[in-house]
């Protein structure tokens, strides 16, 4: 049977690529769902003005006394969208010789690349928080997360979405090691529920009301010293201007199909006091 690039074949190939890319994009992004999301698709302009509302305080008032007006000056943060893209070129020979679903495989790669880029840009904002805990030559500890959570609560950081902690997997390893009492004299011999869960499932879980997540896109300013974060949902913002788009173009002279994925989005810090940087060593030792 001839391996012809008919309209039906290309249509099926395209559908499989798009389906796999969109699914992978949504599943692979770890940090994006944990921050404030804004959808500006279909709206003119490349910027989003996010209002920042001030805090107000209530006070005692005597019976019959008129209330004084409280200043309520709203500021704003601007999130500007820019474009990212990735292209994979599939030759006819590679497609004809593949044993598995090459379309789905390409879609997964495109979606993973987009997801990694989004999370990398968001993780890059962690080092911009004014407050940070730890140093690059020290390992992450549970006490650092307790300190960060206490600081966020002192700052009245919104808890509607809960607090989250993002760590590099090597940083999370040190935390798991401490919680499971593997060579950590600081912990008692009786494991906590979190420690038991880390041993059983490899998932850190929740500490001091903070959900712990791992992402390998977290980096730092110097080798080995990475910057994670403990934050509320309103600490950072993600604005999508154009969701991921998959397009194909036939290159007949090269006997190949160019598969292009693009999207447009922007990220920005919103409430600086709602995020705490966690600076710690990120090496297995």
């Amino acid at each position: 049977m001839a391996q012809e690039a008919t309209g039906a074949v290309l249509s099926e190939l395209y559908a499989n690529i798009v389906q796999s890319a969109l699914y992978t994009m949504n599943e692979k992004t770890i940090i994006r769902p944990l921050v404030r999301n804004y959808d500006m698709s279909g709206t003119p302009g490349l910027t989003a003005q996010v209002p920042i509302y001030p805090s107000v305080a209530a006070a005692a008032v005597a019976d019959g006394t008129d209330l004084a007006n409280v200043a309520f000056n709203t500021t704003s943060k601007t999130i500007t969208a820019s474009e990212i893209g990735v292209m994979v070129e599939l030759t006819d020979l590679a497609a004809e010789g593949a044993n598995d679903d090459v379309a789905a495989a390409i879609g997964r790669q495109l979606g993973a690349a987009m997801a990694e880029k989004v999370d990398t840009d968001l993780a890059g904002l962690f080092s911009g928080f004014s407050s940070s805990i730890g140093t690059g030559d020290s390992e992450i500890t549970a006490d650092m997360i307790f300190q960060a959570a206490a600081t966020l609560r002192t700052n009245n950081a919104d808890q509607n979405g809960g607090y989250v902690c993002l760590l590099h997997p090597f940083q999370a390893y040190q935390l798991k090691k401490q919680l499971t009492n593997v060579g950590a004299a600081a912990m008692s011999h009786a494991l906590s529920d979190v420690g038991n869960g880390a041993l059983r499932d490899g998932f850190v879980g929740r500490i001091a009301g903070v959900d712990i997540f791992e992402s390998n896109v977290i980096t730092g300013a110097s080798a080995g010293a990475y910057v994670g974060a403990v934050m509320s949902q309103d600490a950072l913002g993600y604005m999508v201007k154009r969701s991921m788009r998959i397009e194909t173009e036939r290159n007949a002279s090269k006997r190949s199909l160019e598969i292009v994925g693009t999207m447009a989005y922007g990220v920005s810090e919103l409430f600086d006091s709602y995020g705490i940087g966690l600076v710690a060593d990120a090496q297995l030792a």
Side-chain angles (χ1 to χ4, degrees):
M1 177 179 177
Q3 295 288 341
E4 298 178 348
T6 63
V9 172
L10 291 179
S11 176
E12 181 180 353
L13 178 72
Y14 177 76
N16 289 346
I17 293 171
V18 173
Q19 183 178 18
S20 295
L22 292 175
Y23 176 80
T24 305
M25 169 66 187
N26 289 328
E27 290 297 309
K28 288 290 186 179
T29 48
I30 297 173
I31 305 177
R32 178 186 59 82
L34 304 178
V35 305
R36 185 64 62 188
N37 282 233
Y38 301 93
D39 188 353
M40 295 291 291
S41 57
T43 304
L46 296 176
T47 61
Q49 294 285 339
V50 180
I52 305 298
Y53 298 107
S55 299
V56 295
V61 59
D63 183 32
T65 302
D66 196 8
L67 290 172
N69 181 52
V70 176
F72 194 79
N73 298 320
T74 303
T75 58
S76 64
K77 289 292 183 71
T78 299
I79 306 178
T80 302
S82 59
E83 198 172 30
I84 66 167
V86 60
M87 183 183 81
V88 173
E89 189 169 18
L90 176 64
T91 65
D92 292 350
L93 195 60
E96 292 160 2
N99 290 324
D100 56 355
D101 189 346
V102 66
I106 292 174
R108 288 193 296 270
Q109 293 288 60
L110 293 179
M114 294 290 191
E116 182 174 344
K117 176 58 176 170
V118 170
D119 274 4
T120 298
D121 289 348
L122 285 168
L125 300 175
F126 294 167
S127 59
F129 291 134
S130 298
S131 298
S132 64
I133 298 172
T135 61
D137 57 358
S138 63
E139 296 176 352
I140 196 78
T141 64
D143 182 67
M144 293 169 63
I145 298 175
F146 284 122
Q147 290 183 52
T151 302
L152 291 181
R153 292 187 177 97
T154 301
N155 293 342
N156 290 322
D158 187 10
Q159 298 188 60
N160 288 337
Y163 294 157
V164 296
C165 174
L166 282 306
L167 299 174
H168 186 276
F170 288 173
Q171 291 177 317
Y173 160 75
Q174 298 295 345
L175 182 62
K176 293 173 185 177
K177 186 171 73 171
Q178 183 189 90
L179 292 172
T180 55
N181 206 27
V182 180
M187 301 296 292
S188 65
H189 292 290
L191 293 183
S192 65
D193 289 339
V194 174
N196 284 322
L199 278 176
R200 181 179 60 250
D201 306 321
F203 175 62
V204 178
R206 173 175 289 193
I207 299 176
V210 179
D211 291 324
I212 315 295
F213 296 87
E214 301 177 42
S215 176
N216 65 352
V217 303
I218 294 173
T219 58
S222 59
Y226 286 18
V227 183
V230 175
M231 62 185 185
S232 77
Q233 188 178 39
D234 287 328
L236 304 178
Y238 165 82
M239 180 268 284
V240 60
K241 179 62 183 176
R242 184 178 73 242
S243 299
M244 184 170 60
R245 174 192 297 166
I246 303 296
E247 297 178 283
T248 60
E249 183 175 25
R250 177 70 183 169
N251 189 335
S253 63
K254 201 173 181 180
R255 293 90 60 208
S256 65
L257 185 68
E258 293 180 354
I259 306 165
V260 178
T262 61
M263 66 183 297
Y265 67 90
V267 299
S268 176
E269 179 185 282
L270 299 181
F271 289 86
D272 180 71
S273 62
Y274 287 10
I276 308 293
L278 291 183
V279 184
D281 179 21
Q283 300 185 52
L284 287 177

